[in-house]
Amino acid sequence: MNIAVRSDETNLIDTNGLSRSELMAILERARFYEDQNGLVPPRYLGRFVANLFFEPSTRTRFSFEVAEKRLGLEVLNVSEDTSSTVKGETLADTLKTLAAIGVEVAVIRHSQSGIAEEMAKQNNGVRLVNAGDGHNAHPTQALLDLYTLHKHFGDLNGLRVAIIGDLRHSRVARSNLWSLTTMGAEVVFSGPETMRAPDLEEHAPYLPIDEAIAQADAVMMLRVQLERHREQLFTTAEAYHQHYGLTLERFARMQDHAVILHPGPVNRDVELADELVEHPRSKVFEQMKNGVWVRMAVLERVLEGGKRG
Amino acid sequence: MNIAVRSDETNLIDTNGLSRSELMAILERARFYEDQNGLVPPRYLGRFVANLFFEPSTRTRFSFEVAEKRLGLEVLNVSEDTSSTVKGETLADTLKTLAAIGVEVAVIRHSQSGIAEEMAKQNNGVRLVNAGDGHNAHPTQALLDLYTLHKHFGDLNGLRVAIIGDLRHSRVARSNLWSLTTMGAEVVFSGPETMRAPDLEEHAPYLPIDEAIAQADAVMMLRVQLERHREQLFTTAEAYHQHYGLTLERFARMQDHAVILHPGPVNRDVELADELVEHPRSKVFEQMKNGVWVRMAVLERVLEGGKRG
Amino acid sequence: MNIAVRSDETNLIDTNGLSRSELMAILERARFYEDQNGLVPPRYLGRFVANLFFEPSTRTRFSFEVAEKRLGLEVLNVSEDTSSTVKGETLADTLKTLAAIGVEVAVIRHSQSGIAEEMAKQNNGVRLVNAGDGHNAHPTQALLDLYTLHKHFGDLNGLRVAIIGDLRHSRVARSNLWSLTTMGAEVVFSGPETMRAPDLEEHAPYLPIDEAIAQADAVMMLRVQLERHREQLFTTAEAYHQHYGLTLERFARMQDHAVILHPGPVNRDVELADELVEHPRSKVFEQMKNGVWVRMAVLERVLEGGKRG
């Protein structure tokens, strides 16, 4: 895991290159957009962004698309089925094509870890926002989580965040680790033994789940790829819930002020007890709402980036 | 079949909860939009609608999309292949997500009968327009049929409408039954014995096809799902046409003033003789044109609904 | 091959019906749009175009979509998976439906040769732009190639253009032949023996590849459908490159002023040596850029066509 990758001003590849002041600047702009309820003059009229989602996603693509349209951007959408990738064109050439036809920003979701960084290094003429690459990074998710926590707790220094679940395959865990620790929060990990991630445990401790939950100010449950792991790793979704989920019993042992996060979509009664998804102390749908403000801030940052460079 | 479901002011689930005055209000607004040829000031700029089509459709989705854009709405489109439903997310959570990111209306087409009503009862934070759910309801189709008949005949009181075809699987027949009878029209049904629908025959008589056609002021032919039924129910499309289609011979026995309707897409020479699809007394393409005006009226009703509530 | 087909003023079906003055008019309008960098007042606000792509394409669809949106058009997109064609609706009825709901122009890509012409002859109520039909025609590609050559060379009279590759299956070769010869250029063909096209060789000579390249002012390499032909026609992509590709060796034997074209997407090291794709004498990405200006000009022509008729 290369943690030296920077999200320079014209790309957002991961959170690990963002300084505390850069993170704060994004949170402030997101707050500005939330204060306006997104109803801002469409400042980027006649400028083009392309959403390249090579993995299925409604939630993240729609969140980006709302953010883009609120900024006045013209939006092109492609999903894998209809893309030239079926003709063997490389992603790099697709990006050069987009640049040639006038697209300024590409938002990319792709199953291959590291592809967003690889594309950014090639400088294919279009600015990039990583919307999730394999197990590697999902920076706008981490930023909206950060925004949600910052709005709730204020100063994040010393805040204890437990990230629980399939660590090995989680781009959400990785990107959150970088941004949370940069802001001074204390991250701990938990989840199934078979899903531990040695690379992450170099940066934050792994604890038994009940210990992790008991001491946390915020419990972030990761989505389980049920369709991938059910057979191999545990017998049933119910068994996962009992062993590694936020059950009502575990929720009762959380600190009274502690909140619940989940990147969505939730497998109800797997990662979270059904009753907790919309509990007053759950941030699940507020996270989604905040995603629009954060993505507006990120798109603005990428579009304005490099002007003073 | 529950006919007590209401389309309250903020959702349109079926025609069966709409009073005569509500139906007339929709027809009047549709007429207004037709009179302007759809060229109205885009009053809903910066507001978002999502089209969730979980069954294939070009015609209905495009008709909605034109209506939405003429009203100035920002449009998000999803089809099943790229949606999070492949990850097991429930439709309810998808709707809550849409609400969270700022979508006000969702237009839903889904194969499951009753799902639109079920979603509306849950009140997931987004207003709903049912664009066809299983065999249950297709209210905007019924409303555009009503608009087409009202424009042609004026007062619908006593108008005799024959609805002919695969009644059992037809959401179009169901929604038309409710709106036509509310307006005072007299509905009769016909079609293959194997496709009769006992629930509908509680409300209107079933007649032999030649009798139904001879006495009708309007003959509404239903689409046959050729791909589903061909093997089991009749030997060939030609046989269906001869027994249950509007052949040239049957057309000759229609009343001179009677008109032809079909929700489209037409299987030419199956439900309708090819020559009749664009016959002067066919309303097939006028129905499609009217669909835009009616959907503008429906979207306006749903968006404006509840303001006085 | 019927070369009498005309692209009349309200459709663009192929280049073979366009006179020299019509071609020049399109090039001039494209130049106007390029001079404005596409930032023109959106003159077609509230008017609708539909992109019907029944074959996979990112490049061409996005190029059209950018052109359409720069002109202010409202855009509807359909790809085959979600279209009513799966329900057996004919393309003609789809076009009539589009006309009924207010769509003025349909941009069509389809695997069936001649379908665009067939649809145009039927006059289904919507103006047509052929974005590629089977092996037959791809007029906007030929026009952007013409624009690229005209911008580079000025007068095209006597310009020698070598078109090389899979001639038999190439709509790009066909449409370029008509427009280039109308402008006075001299076309020669080359490529594998098994991919020769007798119909094209009635209009321009077939030469051995090294001879064709040595005498050319412009070398246009055609895309190989690797997925289709690899097994039957040659053993490996490397073998194709050596025998029929623009290798570095062949490039060294080109005239010093000669340029390289390719419609994209390039199979690197198959049609073109990887190093040549972005060589200063390669026009590959400039072609894509020019595609937007040319498509703006074509859409304008089709939308304005017939006004004086």
Side-chain angles (χ1 to χ4, degrees):
Chain A
M1 190 66 43
N2 174 6
I3 67 159
V5 183
R6 292 199 69 256
S7 284
D8 61 37
E9 289 185 333
T10 58
N11 298 300
L12 184 81
I13 303 309
D14 199 356
T15 49
N16 61 0
L18 294 170
S19 67
R20 186 180 179 115
S21 66
E22 286 176 302
L23 291 170
M24 282 305 300
I26 291 170
L27 299 190
E28 279 161 24
R29 287 304 289 171
R31 185 57 180 257
F32 166 77
Y33 286 119
E34 179 171 13
D35 287 344
Q36 310 296 318
N37 202 25
L39 301 173
V40 290
R43 64 190 292 193
Y44 297 118
L45 282 175
R47 297 170 68 177
F48 286 79
V49 59
N51 297 319
L52 309 178
F53 277 67
F54 300 112
E55 288 187 329
S57 167
T58 300
R59 175 185 311 268
T60 305
R61 181 171 75 75
F62 274 6
S63 176
F64 269 108
E65 193 167 343
V66 170
E68 292 156 358
K69 289 180 169 172
R70 288 213 182 282
L71 291 168
L73 287 159
E74 295 283 5
V75 180
L76 307 178
N77 284 312
V78 72
S79 57
E80 192 163 27
D81 292 347
T82 55
S83 125
S84 280
T85 54
V86 301
K87 295 196 286 189
E89 187 184 19
T90 66
L91 181 55
D93 279 344
T94 296
L95 296 176
K96 288 175 195 166
T97 299
L98 293 176
I101 65 174
V103 173
E104 293 183 63
V105 181
V107 176
I108 303 179
R109 166 162 294 193
H110 201 285
S111 61
Q112 187 180 325
S113 297
I115 198 164
E117 180 187 350
E118 185 187 331
M119 290 298 113
K121 283 181 176 165
Q122 291 179 8
N123 189 15
N124 292 304
V126 61
R127 297 165 188 229
L128 299 180
V129 175
N130 185 2
D133 64 322
H135 306 147
N136 182 51
H138 192 352
T140 59
Q141 179 67 45
L143 290 169
L144 73 87
D145 293 335
L146 195 71
Y147 181 80
T148 303
L149 291 170
H150 185 261
K151 196 174 154 191
H152 186 86
F153 290 108
D155 186 10
L156 299 179
N157 214 48
L159 191 83
R160 283 181 287 192
V161 181
I163 302 178
I164 298 172
D166 179 359
L167 301 166
R168 184 170 297 169
H169 302 97
S170 179
R171 52 197 178 203
V172 175
R174 282 173 175 72
S175 288
N176 262 295
L177 173 65
W178 317 131
S179 47
L180 285 168
T181 53
T182 299
M183 293 296 283
E186 295 173 18
V187 172
V188 301
F189 293 116
S190 190
E193 279 291 332
T194 52
M195 294 173 170
R196 290 177 67 167
D199 65 309
L200 290 183
E201 293 179 28
E202 294 175 20
H203 301 278
Y206 174 89
L207 299 180
I209 184 166
D210 290 312
E211 194 176 330
I213 283 177
Q215 56 97 63
D217 300 304
V219 172
M220 183 183 293
M221 303 304 295
L222 300 173
R223 179 176 171 77
V224 179
Q225 305 291 323
L226 279 181
E227 56 281 16
R228 244 184 250 171
H229 302 299
R230 192 181 305 204
E231 301 299 325
Q232 311 96 296
L233 298 178
F234 44 88
T235 48
T236 64
E238 292 73 47
Y240 185 92
H241 186 56
Q242 286 311 315
H243 286 95
Y244 310 110
L246 190 59
T247 59
L248 293 177
E249 293 72 28
R250 286 197 182 94
F251 176 68
R253 295 196 295 270
M254 281 172 58
Q255 299 189 70
D256 286 346
H257 69 274
V259 297
I260 303 167
L261 285 85
H262 187 293
V266 177
N267 294 303
R268 287 170 181 263
D269 285 330
V270 182
E271 301 102 33
L272 290 188
D274 180 64
E275 296 91 329
L276 296 178
V277 178
E278 284 142 303
H279 190 279
R281 281 161 59 196
S282 161
K283 297 290 184 184
V284 171
F285 288 100
E286 192 192 320
Q287 285 171 277
M288 294 172 202
K289 188 174 178 180
N290 292 337
V292 175
W293 319 134
V294 164
R295 288 177 176 120
M296 290 178 82
V298 163
L299 288 161
E300 179 190 49
R301 181 178 191 271
V302 164
L303 279 159
E304 299 297 323
K307 286 197 175 165
R308 299 163 303 280
Chain B
M1 191 65 43
N2 173 6
I3 68 160
V5 183
R6 291 198 69 256
S7 284
D8 61 36
E9 288 186 332
T10 59
N11 299 300
L12 186 81
I13 304 307
D14 199 355
T15 48
N16 60 0
L18 294 170
S19 67
R20 188 181 178 115
S21 67
E22 286 177 303
L23 290 170
M24 282 305 301
I26 292 170
L27 299 189
E28 279 161 24
R29 288 303 291 170
R31 185 56 181 259
F32 167 78
Y33 286 120
E34 178 170 13
D35 286 345
Q36 309 297 318
N37 201 24
L39 301 173
V40 290
R43 62 189 293 192
Y44 297 118
L45 282 175
R47 296 171 70 178
F48 285 82
V49 59
N51 297 319
L52 309 179
F53 278 66
F54 300 112
E55 288 189 328
S57 167
T58 301
R59 173 184 312 265
T60 305
R61 182 171 74 75
F62 274 6
S63 176
F64 270 107
E65 193 167 343
V66 170
E68 293 156 358
K69 289 180 168 171
R70 288 215 182 278
L71 291 168
L73 287 159
E74 296 282 6
V75 180
L76 306 178
N77 284 311
V78 72
S79 57
E80 191 163 30
D81 292 348
T82 57
S83 124
S84 280
T85 55
V86 301
K87 295 197 286 190
E89 187 184 20
T90 66
L91 182 54
D93 279 343
T94 297
L95 295 176
K96 288 175 196 167
T97 300
L98 293 175
I101 66 174
V103 172
E104 293 183 62
V105 181
V107 177
I108 303 180
R109 167 162 293 192
H110 200 286
S111 61
Q112 187 181 323
S113 297
I115 198 164
E117 180 189 350
E118 183 187 332
M119 291 297 114
K121 283 181 176 164
Q122 291 179 8
N123 189 16
N124 293 303
V126 61
R127 296 164 188 230
L128 300 180
V129 175
N130 185 2
D133 64 322
H135 307 146
N136 181 53
H138 192 352
T140 60
Q141 178 67 46
L143 291 168
L144 74 87
D145 293 336
L146 194 71
Y147 181 80
T148 304
L149 290 170
H150 185 261
K151 195 174 154 191
H152 186 86
F153 289 107
D155 186 11
L156 300 179
N157 215 48
L159 191 82
R160 283 182 289 191
V161 182
I163 303 178
I164 298 172
D166 180 0
L167 300 166
R168 183 169 298 170
H169 302 96
S170 178
R171 52 197 179 203
V172 175
R174 282 172 176 73
S175 289
N176 263 294
L177 173 63
W178 317 132
S179 47
L180 286 168
T181 53
T182 298
M183 293 296 282
E186 294 172 18
V187 173
V188 301
F189 294 116
S190 190
E193 278 291 332
T194 52
M195 295 172 169
R196 290 177 68 166
D199 65 309
L200 291 183
E201 293 179 29
E202 295 176 21
H203 301 278
Y206 174 90
L207 299 180
I209 184 164
D210 290 311
E211 192 177 332
I213 284 177
Q215 56 96 62
D217 301 304
V219 172
M220 182 182 294
M221 303 304 294
L222 300 174
R223 178 176 172 80
V224 179
Q225 305 291 324
L226 279 181
E227 57 281 14
R228 245 184 247 171
H229 303 297
R230 192 180 308 200
E231 301 298 327
Q232 310 98 294
L233 299 178
F234 43 90
T235 48
T236 64
E238 292 73 46
Y240 185 91
H241 186 56
Q242 286 310 315
H243 287 94
Y244 309 110
L246 191 59
T247 58
L248 293 176
E249 292 71 27
R250 287 199 182 93
F251 176 68
R253 294 196 293 270
M254 280 172 59
Q255 298 188 70
D256 286 347
H257 70 273
V259 298
I260 303 167
L261 285 86
H262 188 293
V266 178
N267 294 303
R268 287 169 181 264
D269 284 330
V270 182
E271 302 102 34
L272 291 187
D274 180 65
E275 295 91 329
L276 296 179
V277 178
E278 284 142 305
H279 190 279
R281 280 164 58 198
S282 160
K283 297 290 182 182
V284 173
F285 289 101
E286 192 192 321
Q287 285 170 276
M288 295 171 201
K289 189 174 178 182
N290 292 338
V292 175
W293 319 134
V294 165
R295 289 174 176 123
M296 290 178 82
V298 163
L299 289 161
E300 179 190 49
R301 181 177 191 272
V302 164
L303 278 160
E304 299 296 323
K307 285 195 175 165
R308 299 164 302 280
Chain C
M1 191 64 44
N2 175 6
I3 67 160
V5 183
R6 291 201 69 254
S7 285
D8 61 37
E9 289 185 333
T10 59
N11 298 300
L12 185 81
I13 304 308
D14 199 355
T15 48
N16 61 359
L18 294 170
S19 68
R20 188 182 178 114
S21 67
E22 287 176 301
L23 290 171
M24 282 305 300
I26 292 170
L27 300 188
E28 279 160 24
R29 288 302 291 170
R31 186 55 181 259
F32 167 78
Y33 287 119
E34 179 170 14
D35 287 345
Q36 310 296 318
N37 201 25
L39 302 172
V40 290
R43 64 190 290 194
Y44 297 119
L45 282 176
R47 296 171 68 176
F48 285 79
V49 60
N51 297 318
L52 308 179
F53 277 67
F54 300 112
E55 287 188 330
S57 165
T58 299
R59 174 184 312 266
T60 305
R61 182 172 74 77
F62 274 6
S63 177
F64 269 106
E65 194 168 342
V66 170
E68 293 156 359
K69 289 181 169 172
R70 287 212 182 283
L71 291 169
L73 287 159
E74 295 282 5
V75 180
L76 306 178
N77 283 312
V78 72
S79 57
E80 192 163 27
D81 292 347
T82 56
S83 124
S84 280
T85 54
V86 302
K87 296 196 287 190
E89 187 184 20
T90 66
L91 182 55
D93 279 343
T94 297
L95 296 176
K96 288 176 196 167
T97 300
L98 292 176
I101 64 173
V103 172
E104 293 183 63
V105 181
V107 177
I108 303 180
R109 167 162 294 193
H110 201 286
S111 61
Q112 187 180 324
S113 297
I115 198 164
E117 179 188 350
E118 184 187 333
M119 291 297 115
K121 282 181 177 165
Q122 291 179 7
N123 189 16
N124 293 303
V126 61
R127 296 164 188 232
L128 300 180
V129 176
N130 185 1
D133 65 322
H135 307 147
N136 182 52
H138 192 352
T140 60
Q141 178 68 45
L143 290 169
L144 74 87
D145 293 336
L146 195 71
Y147 181 80
T148 304
L149 290 170
H150 185 261
K151 196 173 154 193
H152 187 85
F153 289 108
D155 186 10
L156 299 179
N157 214 49
L159 191 82
R160 283 181 288 192
V161 182
I163 302 178
I164 298 171
D166 179 1
L167 300 166
R168 182 169 300 171
H169 301 97
S170 179
R171 52 197 179 203
V172 175
R174 281 173 176 72
S175 288
N176 262 295
L177 173 65
W178 315 133
S179 48
L180 286 167
T181 53
T182 299
M183 294 294 284
E186 294 172 17
V187 173
V188 302
F189 293 117
S190 189
E193 277 290 333
T194 52
M195 294 173 169
R196 289 177 68 165
D199 64 310
L200 291 182
E201 294 179 28
E202 295 176 20
H203 302 278
Y206 174 91
L207 300 180
I209 184 165
D210 290 312
E211 193 177 331
I213 282 177
Q215 56 97 62
D217 301 303
V219 172
M220 181 183 295
M221 303 303 295
L222 300 173
R223 178 176 173 78
V224 179
Q225 305 292 325
L226 278 182
E227 56 281 15
R228 244 185 249 171
H229 302 299
R230 192 180 307 203
E231 302 299 326
Q232 310 96 294
L233 299 177
F234 42 91
T235 48
T236 64
E238 293 72 47
Y240 185 92
H241 186 57
Q242 286 311 314
H243 286 95
Y244 309 110
L246 190 59
T247 59
L248 293 176
E249 293 69 29
R250 287 199 181 92
F251 175 70
R253 294 196 295 271
M254 279 171 59
Q255 298 188 72
D256 287 347
H257 70 273
V259 297
I260 303 166
L261 284 85
H262 188 293
V266 177
N267 294 303
R268 288 170 180 263
D269 285 330
V270 182
E271 300 103 33
L272 291 187
D274 179 65
E275 296 90 330
L276 295 179
V277 178
E278 284 142 303
H279 190 279
R281 281 164 57 199
S282 161
K283 297 289 183 184
V284 173
F285 288 100
E286 192 192 320
Q287 285 171 276
M288 294 173 202
K289 189 174 177 180
N290 292 338
V292 175
W293 320 134
V294 165
R295 289 176 176 122
M296 290 178 82
V298 163
L299 288 161
E300 179 191 48
R301 182 178 191 272
V302 165
L303 278 159
E304 299 297 322
K307 286 194 177 168
R308 298 163 303 280

